[in-house]
């Protein structure tokens, strides 16, 4: 619930009250500042409040951006300011200071202010989360309050209105000019354009968004929520996977069509959220996790369909999931490591490196922007390729194309990031170091080794932690690939991997390439499971391994989205309960050594391990995202 306050003299014929009601506000009036403060103080503590000048002239969407966006504790547009419950006290203090002649610390004006004969208080009857305000200090009470709130409060978000109009005209002539500017801009057209993500791939931008935005508006007008559309996208993808699992040509064609439809709905849910400003914590979590669930369920469907036709491609399906997950971890780790890095004395931050300068020059040439976005095979291009190849070829062909395309994309993006990292001198923040340590997912075994080696690890050269992690992971995968499975050597390699993993994280990850340590750990763990299951040649081992990697990958994605939401990593008890990456790897190698000769025993053990991990991880993840009140984080810039 929310409460917003409009102040100033009444304006006959103004549509402002109707605009506020259309946004879900129950509009009430107050004759002066004291009455406005009383109404604000008496509003339920769970409501959001907003202050709006009665002379406001602007588009409805400008008010919507300023008064209904749920992501910010306080926000403003010219002539309007709003605060969520957590910022209510600060807003009341700002109103009191301005009305009593106080002087805000920055941006405001001094002197007493008297409201006109009528002010308006709008109290929402539907939940409205956040809003935005742009402050122009002067005689406008709401703007002065916004300046005072910004100076002594949670900080005021001010949305980029672009061509939208939001002003408080000083006289009749200015009002007429503002109304002329208002009529010159199509509010709805701007709203539709802003519903589309700013950075998207070529396929999404030119083949989906031109019509999916209208589908988003259709959903909004019928009261559908982004979460409902997200769920519909998941169900459509699962049906597509089921069609692929039939193994028939008709099933493959239907699967390709339904996968494309699922992607259209996937674009629509985000556009609906932006169109109607229906952001939510649950929605952010569903949108993030369902994309991975849809894609990896579809891989499994293709593998089942191929098996019906006599072709075993489970190893390829698992390899595709491993590669795609490792690509994402590279993205996440690099971004977290450099999001707030600062240039060291005499050095350059990421944006100042020669590689970044070359990237900027390439972006100045129009066609290279789209070419570079397509090269990384974002979700739109990737799903379009999968859908078309599913309908026209075989599952094996789909996975070959997917592995080749994703491998090239991974090499391209990782090479550029490595060059940026080694050619810069920057200081990594404590927050970034903590995020990388959390992404490493080190369990009790690696933690114990790290505690023993912490003192000598401080003297290691900067690149040695990454090289240690890489050497240990490569040796483990190589041993699992070459040594007899029933010999002790894979277990020995896993024990060595525990030692190298502990050494790699024995000191804070401040080295230039330490952001690569989490992806190396993911590749080592997932790759070992893949190799052992494939080499066992036991019926059912690869599908069981697929389930295990899927459960562990969910845990790692959940960790990423918690960190990106500013809520920190999952609790340490969860990491310890699931063994950490090194504990799970050691367990799988031990199970392979003991059970690989017993036919069905190895797949059953992998299945049991997958079920245990999935049960613990999903229970904690659902509890956290449903009840924690974590901030709603929506991906606006990475078309993964």
């Amino acid at each position: 619930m929310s409460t917003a306050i409009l102040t100033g003299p009444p304006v006959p014929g103004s549509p402002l009250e109707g605009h506020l009601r259309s946004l879900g506000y129950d509009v009430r009036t107050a004759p002066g500042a004291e009455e406005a403060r009383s109404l604000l103080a008496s509003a339920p503590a769970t409501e959001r409040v907003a202050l709006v000048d009665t002379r406001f002239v602007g588009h409805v969407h400008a008010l919507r951006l300023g008064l209904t966006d749920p992501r910010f504790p306080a926000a403003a547009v010219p002539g309007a300011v709003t605060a969520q419950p957590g910022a209510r006290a600060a807003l009341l203090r700002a109103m009191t200071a301005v009305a009593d002649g106080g002087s805000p610390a920055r941006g405001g004006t001094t002197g007493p202010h008297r409201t006109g004969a009528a002010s308006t208080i709008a109290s929402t009857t539907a939940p409205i989360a956040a809003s935005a305000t742009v402050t122009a200090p002067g005689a406008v009470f709401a703007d002065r309050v916004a300046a005072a709130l910004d100076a002594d409060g949670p900080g005021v978000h001010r949305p980029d209105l672009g061509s939208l109009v939001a002003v408080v005209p000083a006289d009749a002539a200015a009002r007429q000019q503002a109304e002329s500017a208002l009529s010159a801009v199509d509010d709805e057209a701007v709203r539709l354009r802003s519903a589309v993500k700013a950075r998207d791939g070529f396929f999404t931008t030119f083949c989906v968004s031109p019509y999916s935005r209208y589908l988003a508006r259709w959903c909004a007008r019928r009261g559908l929520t982004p979460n409902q559309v997200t769920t519909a996208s998941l169900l459509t993808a699962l049906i597509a996977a089921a069609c692929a699992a039939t193994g028939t040509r008709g099933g493959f064609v239907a699967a390709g069509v339904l996968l494309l439809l699922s992607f259209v709905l996937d674009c629509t849910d985000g556009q609906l959220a932006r169109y109607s400003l229906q952001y939510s914590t649950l929605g952010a979590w569903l949108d993030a996790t369902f994309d991975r669930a849809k894609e990896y369920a579809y891989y499994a469907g293709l593998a089942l369909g191929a098996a019906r036709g006599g072709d075993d491609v489970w190893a390829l399906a698992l390899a595709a999931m491993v590669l795609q997950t490792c690509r994402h971890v590279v993205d996440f780790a690099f971004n977290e490591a450099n999001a707030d890095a600062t240039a060291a004395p005499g050095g350059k931050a990421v944006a100042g490196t020669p590689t970044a300068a070359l990237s900027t020059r390439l972006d100045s040439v129009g066609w290279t922007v789209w070419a570079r976005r397509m090269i990384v095979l974002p979700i739109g291009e990737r799903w379009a390729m999968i859908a078309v190849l599913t309908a026209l070829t075989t599952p094996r062909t789909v996975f070959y194309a997917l592995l080749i395309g994703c491998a090239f994309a991974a090499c391209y993006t990782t090479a550029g990031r490595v060059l940026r990292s080694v050619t810069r001198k920057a200081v990594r923040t404590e927050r970034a170091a903590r995020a990388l340590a959390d992404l490493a997912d080190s369990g009790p075994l690696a933690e114990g080794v790290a505690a023993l080696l912490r003192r000598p690890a401080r003297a290691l050269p900067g690149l040695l932690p990454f090289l240690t992690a890489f050497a240990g992971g490569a040796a483990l995968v190589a041993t699992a690939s070459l040594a007899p499975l029933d010999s002790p050597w894979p277990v020995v390699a896993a024990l060595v991997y525990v030692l190298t993993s502990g050494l790699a994280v024995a000191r804070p990850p401040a080295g230039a390439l330490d952001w690569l340590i989490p992806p190396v750990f993911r590749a080592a763990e997932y790759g070992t499971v893949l190799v052992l299951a494939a080499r066992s040649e036991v019926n059912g081992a690869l599908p069981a391994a697929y389930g295990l990697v899927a459960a562990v990958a969910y845990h790692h994605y959940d960790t990423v989205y918690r960190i990106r939401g500013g809520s920190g990593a999952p609790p340490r008890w969860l990491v310890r309960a699931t063994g950490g990456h090194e504990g799970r790897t050691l367990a799988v190698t031990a199970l392979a050594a003991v059970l690989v000769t017993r036919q069905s025993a190895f797949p059953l053990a992998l299945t049991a391990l997958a079920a245990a991990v999935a049960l613990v991880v999903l229970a904690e993840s659902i509890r956290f995202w449903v009840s924690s009140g974590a901030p709603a984080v929506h991906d606006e810039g990475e078309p993964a």
Side-chain angles (χ1 to χ4, degrees), residues 133-149:
T133 307
V134 174
T135 314
V140 178
F141 185 48
D143 289 352
R144 297 172 65 198
V145 170
L149 178 62

Side-chain angles (χ1 to χ4, degrees), residues 241-284:
C243 290
T246 63
T248 64
R249 177 52 51 193
F252 288 147
V253 171
V257 172
L258 288 172
L259 185 64
L260 287 177
L261 176 58
S262 175
F263 181 67
V264 171
L265 293 174
D266 182 58
C267 294
T268 301
D269 65 359
Q271 291 166 357
L272 175 58
R274 288 182 285 272
Y275 181 84
S276 57
L277 300 183
Q278 296 184 70
Y279 301 104
S280 69
T281 299
L282 180 61

Side-chain angles (χ1 to χ4, degrees), residues 1 43 164 214 241-242 286 369 389 534 630:
M1 299 299 241
L164 295 174
Y214 295 101
L286 293 179
V369 175
L389 291 179

Side-chain angles (χ1 to χ4, degrees), residues 158-187:
R158 294 174 170 84
D160 181 7
L161 299 180
S163 60
L164 295 174
V165 174
V167 296
V168 179
D171 52 36
R175 186 176 187 85
Q176 184 176 5
Q177 184 179 7
E179 290 174 345
S180 297
L182 190 72
S183 61
V185 177
D186 187 341
D187 177 272

Side-chain angles (χ1 to χ4, degrees), residues 212-231:
S212 62
R213 70 184 74 180
Y214 295 101
L215 178 58
R217 181 172 66 181
W218 183 89
C219 293
R221 291 177 175 177
R222 282 152 184 81
L224 297 177
T225 66
N227 290 354
Q228 290 171 329
V229 178
T230 300
T231 303

